[in-house]
Amino acid sequence: LITSELLYQLSYVGSGWARDRARKVKILGDSGARGKIEISRFGESRSQPTSPVCSEPAMAPDLTLVERDRSVRRTLVWVLLLNLLVASAKLVVGGLSGSISMVADGFHSLTDSASNVVGLVGLAVAGRPPDADHPYGHRKFETLAALMIGALLALTAWEVLKSCVERLREGGAPEVTPLTFWVMGITLAINLGVSTWERREGTRLQSDLLKADAAHTQSDVYASLAVIVSLIAAKLGFPQLDVLTAVVITLIIARAAFEILKENGMLLADTAMLPADQVASVAMKVPRVVSVHKIRSRATSRGGYADLHVQVDGNLSLEEAHLIGHEVADRLKRELRLEDVLVHVEPPVNPS
């Protein structure tokens, strides 16, 4: 399954370039400071603000969900290929030189590659449109893939720790050559560039998966720096620092694993996305809203959902109350960058 998925994604990248270049986006200018862009979501046309009011950067406005997923896939494929190159170099040279820290760093990079494959498979499922069994879509599968990356990081930390114990029991020292420094320097530059690029793409595309994977790759940068320091120390006659560096790598990996598991675990557990008071203050801006209560919100990989009860004058007609409910939902989507809002309109419990 993994092999077939990888081959499919590799072939998809090449053809994706032409499709991206061919697509034209229609920008609808208006007299205000904010324009609108026509996009389609699973075959439905809709308009979306190009600069929503929020503290976090929004997804690139010229991308539909299909193109967003395609861009995430392309990013992961390129990162996967580079990670395989880096891992192979570290494992081969580290094994020949006997550097436990370099071999551990190579396994860390190999875990990066495995997490890329997990991400590609998870994204293939997350990109499916809503259906009868999943009316909210399949985006949670992307969060699940991010959790698997965190688990792989934790496993890597455990493997490095076991290697440290074995070296302390058996002893030994690495054989440091100019080749080891060349390999570590080149792979460090590759990892630094990959993590920076992947993090930017994760922010631009609002992808939890890319952000988690970028953190994974970033931890490899710190690990490589520690390995270089240990190789210098071994060259100067302090081979014990090879084990110490491996312990530092373990701590770096473990911390990254904890952060990814914590963030995505809270997302999967439907932790409240927004304070109820903040939602209420926005809803109360709508004219003729008397009060707001029973507010709930939860986060998703692309925004969030909220539902609330809005009380209006009981003497209003059904149509008027219905329009007020729509106005509340539209304002919440616009100001709080929510993907969907469900509003229940009701009369006041104790009308004055």
Side-chain angles (χ1 to χ4, degrees):
L1 172 64
I2 291 176
T3 302
S4 62
E5 174 67 20
L6 175 57
L7 291 176
Y8 167 75
Q9 300 296 348
L10 287 172
S11 64
Y12 198 84
V13 167
S15 59
W17 288 109
R19 287 192 295 270
D20 284 347
R21 295 294 184 269
R23 182 180 182 273
K24 294 182 179 179
V25 180
K26 180 182 178 184
I27 302 293
L28 305 177
D30 59 17
S31 58
R34 182 170 59 224
K36 289 186 178 179
I37 181 167
E38 282 294 315
I39 63 176
S40 103
R41 182 176 184 265
F42 308 126
E44 299 178 356
S45 296
R46 64 185 176 93
S47 295
Q48 171 178 299
T50 56
S51 57
V53 181
C54 60
S55 58
E56 297 180 1
M59 185 179 72
D62 59 339
L63 293 178
T64 64
L65 288 178
V66 174
E67 290 175 321
R68 178 257 192 191
D69 291 340
R70 182 188 306 158
S71 297
V72 173
R73 281 196 296 264
R74 183 187 301 121
T75 302
L76 283 175
V77 169
W78 283 112
V79 173
L80 170 62
L81 295 176
L82 291 172
N83 280 334
L84 287 174
L85 175 63
V86 168
S88 300
K90 291 178 181 178
L91 288 172
V92 171
V93 177
L96 293 175
S97 64
S99 171
I100 185 174
S101 59
M102 193 171 182
V103 170
D105 197 22
F107 278 116
H108 185 198
S109 298
L110 195 60
T111 307
D112 290 340
S113 304
S115 69
N116 296 147
V117 176
V118 170
L120 287 170
V121 175
L123 189 60
V125 178
R128 295 175 183 173
D131 53 36
D133 295 327
H134 304 85
Y136 292 101
H138 299 75
R139 292 288 162 184
K140 284 292 181 71
F141 285 100
E142 185 174 344
T143 304
L144 283 173
L147 285 172
M148 293 183 68
I149 292 176
L152 286 172
L153 272 173
L155 179 61
T156 301
W158 173 249
E159 292 298 325
V160 174
L161 182 60
K162 289 197 300 183
S163 299
C164 294
V165 174
E166 291 178 3
R167 173 56 64 89
L168 290 175
R169 289 178 178 176
E170 300 175 2
E175 181 181 352
V176 182
T177 64
L179 179 61
T180 57
F181 287 109
W182 273 105
V183 169
M184 290 306 304
I186 293 174
T187 56
L188 175 63
I190 293 175
N191 283 331
L192 186 60
V194 166
S195 64
T196 301
W197 173 58
E198 192 174 16
R199 183 173 60 254
R200 289 176 180 174
E201 286 296 284
T203 300
R204 183 177 72 89
L205 299 171
Q206 289 188 359
S207 171
D208 295 322
L209 181 58
L210 287 182
K211 292 177 183 179
D213 197 57
H216 194 169
T217 306
Q218 185 70 40
S219 68
D220 207 19
V221 171
Y222 299 136
S224 297
L225 286 172
V227 171
I228 292 175
V229 172
S230 73
L231 292 175
I232 295 175
K235 189 71 173 178
L236 296 176
F238 301 96
Q240 299 85 357
L241 286 182
D242 191 46
V243 178
L244 179 60
T245 301
V247 173
V248 173
I249 293 175
T250 302
L251 296 176
I252 293 173
I253 298 173
R255 179 182 178 183
F258 174 76
E259 293 296 332
I260 292 174
L261 292 173
K262 177 184 176 181
E263 178 179 349
N264 290 279
M266 293 177 65
L267 189 64
L268 192 64
D270 286 338
T271 303
M273 175 185 177
L274 299 166
D277 292 343
Q278 183 179 3
V279 177
S281 65
V282 174
M284 290 297 294
K285 295 178 183 178
V286 176
R288 296 191 289 181
V289 171
V290 177
S291 66
V292 181
H293 65 124
K294 292 187 178 179
I295 300 172
R296 297 185 300 180
S297 65
R298 63 184 179 89
T300 69
S301 60
R302 292 192 65 250
Y305 295 93
D307 57 83
L308 65 156
H309 289 207
V310 173
Q311 295 183 345
V312 299
D313 187 351
N315 295 319
L316 294 175
S317 67
L318 177 60
E319 182 179 0
E320 289 176 316
H322 180 71
L323 290 176
I324 292 174
H326 270 290
E327 188 175 350
V328 169
D330 292 341
R331 183 180 286 269
L332 288 172
K333 290 178 184 179
R334 183 173 61 253
E335 296 192 16
L336 300 181
R337 196 174 59 84
L338 293 169
E339 188 173 355
D340 192 25
V341 177
L342 178 62
V343 178
H344 172 75
V345 181
E346 61 187 21
V349 177
N350 297 310
S352 54

